[in-house]
Amino acid sequence: MLFLRPFCKAMAKKDIPTEIVEAAKELFFKHGFKRISIEDICNKADVSRRTFYVYYENKTDLLIKILEQIHEENLREVFAISHSDLPFPQKIIEITNYNITQLERMTPEFSADIHDPSFVEVKDYYESKKEYSQEWTRNFFAEAQKRGDIRADLDIGFLQYFMNYAIASYKNEEIRKRYPNTAHLMRKIADMLLYGILGKETI
């Protein structure tokens, strides 16, 4: 059975980049980005600082890769929901609930850190994804309008502008003081966007 030893060693070999990412995600989501050091991440992942720098330039580089991973996961899930056989109102609810569930994984500290206007690298990253996200959302609602799932007289451009404005309200200092939990705030915003003041029976 000696010939199995190299094979077993290969099977047991750690996926170091994934170990680092998972350790960083757990720490960032729980404590925020600024409070966590590279040393904290290395200790959690059980790797050396030298090993860390083999895969990532610095802590911000690692964060961007984590945000990219989250973005890709979100796209896959949202695409799956949008192309499912669910009725359109249910698709909206499922997508909203999924996005809020993702936010609930993160503490207010992490959310505040990555949405800090002075954090240029992250701001640039989100800007690079903004055009694609807006185009997808516009097409999603336009197709629904063609199928008769939403009002024919609805101005999709205005709807999109209103949605972006409402979602961006979490950056307002007064609103954040009242609702420091981003996921809780997003749920309130989604509830208002979906049901307005007339109630769920209007859907």
Side-chain angles (χ1 to χ4, degrees):
M1 300 296 287
L2 292 177
F3 68 92
L4 289 178
R5 287 182 182 173
F7 177 78
C8 292
K9 278 189 176 180
M11 290 294 289
K13 187 176 180 181
K14 289 172 62 174
D15 181 352
I16 294 175
T18 299
E19 295 276 345
I20 294 173
V21 164
E22 292 305 313
K25 281 167 67 174
E26 183 177 341
L27 293 170
F28 289 164
F29 289 1
K30 186 175 181 180
H31 303 290
F33 174 78
K34 294 178 181 178
R35 288 178 57 189
I36 298 302
S37 67
I38 289 176
E39 185 175 358
D40 293 329
I41 297 167
C42 291
N43 289 338
K44 182 74 175 176
D46 193 23
V47 300
S48 67
R49 288 178 67 93
R50 179 178 294 180
T51 300
F52 178 94
Y53 286 113
V54 168
Y55 299 100
Y56 306 103
E57 294 179 15
N58 48 47
K59 193 173 68 162
T60 300
D61 178 47
L62 173 58
L63 174 63
I64 296 298
K65 286 180 171 59
I66 289 172
L67 294 178
E68 181 67 34
Q69 182 188 87
I70 293 171
H71 176 72
E72 290 176 359
E73 290 172 355
N74 289 349
L75 284 182
R76 285 195 295 271
E77 185 64 25
V78 169
F79 283 175
I81 295 171
S82 67
H83 289 88
S84 70
D85 294 329
L86 291 171
F88 183 75
Q90 192 61 36
K91 288 182 182 180
I92 294 289
I93 292 169
E94 291 292 327
I95 290 172
T96 301
N97 285 336
Y98 172 76
N99 287 329
I100 290 173
T101 300
Q102 293 299 96
L103 286 172
E104 287 174 339
R105 296 166 58 194
M106 308 170 189
T107 59
E109 290 82 4
F110 180 72
S111 181
D113 285 348
I114 65 173
H115 293 107
D116 183 341
S118 66
F119 202 162
V120 177
E121 294 89 346
V122 173
K123 184 178 179 181
D124 289 345
Y125 169 77
Y126 281 127
E127 282 295 321
S128 72
K129 302 297 181 184
K130 187 175 179 180
E131 184 176 348
Y132 176 82
S133 176
Q134 290 185 346
E135 181 180 0
W136 186 89
T137 304
R138 183 166 53 249
N139 290 338
F140 177 68
F141 282 108
E143 289 299 318
Q145 194 172 50
K146 288 178 183 177
R147 294 192 302 269
D149 291 330
I150 60 177
R151 287 168 37 197
D153 64 334
L154 189 64
D155 184 332
I156 301 299
F158 177 77
L159 170 64
Q160 194 166 15
Y161 175 83
F162 184 75
M163 287 176 63
N164 291 340
Y165 181 82
I167 292 170
S169 66
Y170 71 86
K171 297 178 182 179
N172 181 283
E173 186 175 348
E174 291 301 315
I175 291 178
R176 288 197 67 84
K177 285 180 181 177
R178 185 178 292 270
Y179 304 104
N181 186 301
T182 304
H184 181 61
L185 175 58
M186 288 298 107
R187 194 173 292 282
K188 285 188 169 295
I189 291 172
D191 186 67
M192 179 60 68
L193 285 171
L194 290 174
Y195 306 118
I197 61 174
L198 298 181
K200 297 181 180 181
E201 66 273 9
T202 61
I203 294 294

